[in-house]
Structure formats: structure tokens, C-alpha cells
Amino acid sequence: MGREKPRKPHRSRSEKGESAHDHKVFEIPGDYQDPNGRPVDHKLLGSLVGAAFEGCASCQDPLLTLLVEDPTTTARLVELACVSTQSMLGGLPASMTDDGVSGASSPEFRRLARAGLNGANDAMFRACEQMSPADRRSATNTALDTLVGILAVG
């Protein structure tokens, strides 16, 4: 049996002189529910948008994993990206809805955005519920990029 090496006592970040790893949590307005009455997880959504806005990939990844398991909150994020884009541009460009037009939007995001055109948000929520978590993650990545870009400009 060997000798155990003495270990340094564990110190918290604040003891080491580092600041706590926190991000601004974006307030997502409304007591929002999907067409079936399921609530949106506003705290999770606000935390994810805050981490994405600050470019913190180490926080985004676990939050994304949680978000894509919740189709209602995922659809709300896509909806917010679409509404923000419509407000800024006066409508959604074809590159966000049409699979035949080149652009950065994922096919999964385009499918949801297209389903929600003309105020058919309930169709968007239903389509999101039918997606796999991997497809929702792809749609979420586009929605986050879009929303963070709009927030950065505004």
C-alpha cells in the first residue's frame, strides 16, 4: 500500500478570486402556454438566451439539452425568433421558411417557421411536438442565432 499524497483543500471560485459564473437571464414576457395548455419554461428559456447572448458555450450546451426535451419551450423560442425577425424586417425572408432558398436557417427551423406563418402558431407547436430532440436542437440553434443577432443589434 502506497502513501496517500496530501491534497489541497477545495476552494470555491470566490475564494480563488474568480467571479461566480452567472449570466444575465433574459426576461421572456408573458404567462405563455401552448395550444394544449402546457406552460413554457420561461426560466430555462431566459437562462439559455442569456448564456447564448454572452457567448458561453459551456452553459449553452446543458441548457440546450434540457430545452429540446421540452417541445413547448422549444417552439416558443422559434416563435420568438420569428416574431423578432418580422418586427425588424417587416416579415420573414424566404431564407427562413423556404427549403429551396439558400440561407443559414436549418431545415428544421424552416419547417417550424413555415408551419407558423400567418399566425398559425398552434400549427408550429404541434409540428415541434412531432420532432425528435435532435431535430428540435437543430431548430433551436437557428432560433438562438437569430434571436441573439437581433438582440445584439437592438
Side-chain angles (χ1 to χ4, degrees):
M1 299 220 178
R3 291 182 19 208
E4 283 190 37
K5 292 182 180 179
R7 294 183 180 169
K8 292 182 181 177
H10 176 73
R11 294 182 353 200
S12 69
R13 288 182 180 191
S14 59
E15 291 176 62
K16 294 178 187 177
E18 298 175 25
S19 63
H21 189 89
D22 290 325
H23 299 285
K24 177 180 179 182
V25 175
F26 277 77
E27 291 294 323
I28 308 297
D31 183 20
Y32 204 83
Q33 298 178 350
D34 78 350
N36 293 320
R38 290 174 295 220
V40 170
D41 187 340
H42 287 96
K43 183 176 180 190
L44 172 61
L45 186 53
S47 295
L48 176 60
V49 171
F53 187 76
E54 293 180 14
C56 183
S58 65
C59 288
Q60 284 180 73
D61 191 52
L63 293 170
L64 271 169
T65 299
L66 292 172
L67 184 101
V68 300
E69 293 298 328
D70 180 351
T72 302
T73 304
T74 301
R76 179 62 173 151
L77 175 60
V78 171
E79 181 183 46
L80 288 170
C82 291
V83 168
S84 298
T85 301
Q86 287 174 324
S87 290
M88 180 176 247
L89 302 178
L92 288 178
S95 62
M96 292 180 81
T97 59
D98 188 343
D99 291 330
V101 176
S102 65
S105 298
S106 70
E108 296 80 7
F109 176 89
R110 291 172 192 231
R111 185 173 14 178
L112 292 177
R114 191 170 46 247
L117 285 174
N118 301 319
N121 294 359
D122 56 336
M124 178 193 295
F125 279 84
R126 283 193 306 274
C128 190
E129 190 172 3
Q130 300 303 314
M131 290 178 148
S132 70
D135 286 349
R136 286 194 293 267
R137 189 176 190 104
S138 182
T140 297
N141 284 330
T142 297
L144 268 178
D145 289 346
T146 302
L147 192 56
V148 167
I150 290 170
L151 289 170
V153 171

